[in-house]
Amino acid sequence: TQLLEQSPQFLSIQEGENLTVYCNSSSVFSSLQWYRQEPGEGPVLLVTVVTGGEVKKLKRLTFQFGDARKDSSLHITAAQPGDTGLYLCAGAITNAGKSTFGDGTTLTVKP
Amino acid sequence: GAVVSQHPSWVICKSGTSVKIECRSLDFQATTMFWYRQFPKQSLMLMATSNEGSKATYEQGVEKDKFLINHASLTLSTLTVTSAHPEDSSFYICSAKVYSETQYFGPGTRLLVL
């Protein structure tokens, strides 16, 4: 059973469109991270959310942590080809514990 | 800050040989390091958790005698793939963190076993 369900798995859109990626679980997380990974490279941290209901913005990216700290979403406004990559959410149940990763969302933004 | 390096970035070896991959935290001391394996277009699969000075904790299904992990210092962990076979070919990624802080990833090592 996958602890973190990430959707959609694949997403192909045109430049300028908006999109939302979801990360859901039945478990409560002490923190949740979003990463972006390009082929042949390691994941790069985008954001960490720790407070239920928290919203963080990073330029065109908006991250939200659910009130119950069981789910999160990543919204990208006016997507650009440079946003193409694998987006991963990862949650830790305890502060000192290991993180569980979602299956990832492969985003392709066509020019 | 929070830079993690891996060496080598890629390696090709013959079946039956052993390969060592190094993971270093360059600007911080990592209390915990993780080793992941990733197949094409898939997410990261945790192999083991490594704490400095103690034995690594392996995930279910990961052979500890096959994948030897040593965490000799707060800035270095090594993964040795022993008697490598073609099915061990993969992208291996390490990460490091300090206590409850977010983990930071290395750039990965691509292993190809012929």
Side-chain angles (χ1 to χ4, degrees):
Chain A
T1 302
Q2 181 64 24
L3 192 60
L4 268 175
E5 299 286 344
Q6 202 171 329
S7 62
Q9 188 175 359
F10 297 97
L11 191 55
S12 180
I13 61 173
Q14 291 295 133
E15 181 176 3
E17 293 183 3
N18 302 331
L19 67 114
T20 302
V21 178
Y22 300 93
C23 185
N24 298 300
S25 176
S26 57
S27 301
V28 177
F29 295 104
S30 59
S31 70
L32 191 142
Q33 289 79 37
W34 284 94
Y35 295 86
R36 176 171 166 267
Q37 184 182 22
E38 297 195 35
E41 299 181 10
V44 175
L45 178 68
L46 296 175
V47 77
T48 296
V49 287
V50 296
T51 304
E54 182 176 8
V55 176
K56 282 191 174 180
K57 291 191 175 184
L58 183 65
K59 295 183 179 178
R60 293 177 293 101
L61 278 60
T62 302
F63 305 86
Q64 186 164 8
F65 202 14
D67 291 340
R69 307 206 317 275
K70 294 182 178 181
D71 53 84
S72 181
S73 64
L74 158 61
H75 182 78
I76 301 179
T77 303
Q80 299 176 1
D83 295 327
T84 294
L86 176 66
Y87 289 81
L88 297 161
C89 65
I93 294 179
T94 63
N95 282 336
K98 59 189 178 185
S99 294
T100 298
F101 280 80
D103 284 337
T105 295
T106 299
L107 171 64
T108 303
V109 182
K110 300 176 183 177
Chain B
V3 178
V4 177
S5 70
Q6 273 184 249
H7 179 80
S9 56
W10 59 271
V11 57
I12 302 173
C13 69
K14 292 182 178 181
S15 184
T17 60
S18 294
V19 175
K20 179 183 284 189
I21 302 170
E22 291 186 351
C23 176
R24 294 181 183 272
S25 56
L26 299 184
D27 51 0
F28 66 102
Q29 294 187 321
T31 52
T32 306
M33 288 185 170
F34 303 90
W35 286 96
Y36 295 84
R37 185 173 179 177
Q38 186 177 35
F39 293 102
K41 298 189 183 299
Q42 293 188 20
S43 187
L44 281 67
M45 182 185 75
L46 180 64
M47 299 175 66
T49 301
S50 171
N51 292 296
E52 185 265 340
S54 61
K55 290 184 178 180
T57 301
Y58 290 81
E59 294 299 302
Q60 190 173 7
V62 178
E63 300 176 59
K64 61 180 181 180
D65 295 329
K66 171 77 171 175
F67 299 98
L68 300 178
I69 293 173
N70 183 273
H71 195 158
S73 74
L74 286 171
T75 59
L76 173 65
S77 177
T78 60
L79 167 68
T80 301
V81 183
T82 62
S83 187
H85 288 95
E87 57 265 31
D88 298 325
S89 298
S90 191
F91 192 51
Y92 292 88
I93 308 175
C94 73
S95 70
K97 73 173 189 175
V98 181
Y99 296 114
S100 62
E101 295 297 319
T102 301
Q103 56 181 311
Y104 294 91
F105 287 86
T109 297
R110 185 161 302 283
L111 170 64
L112 176 61
V113 184
L114 302 177

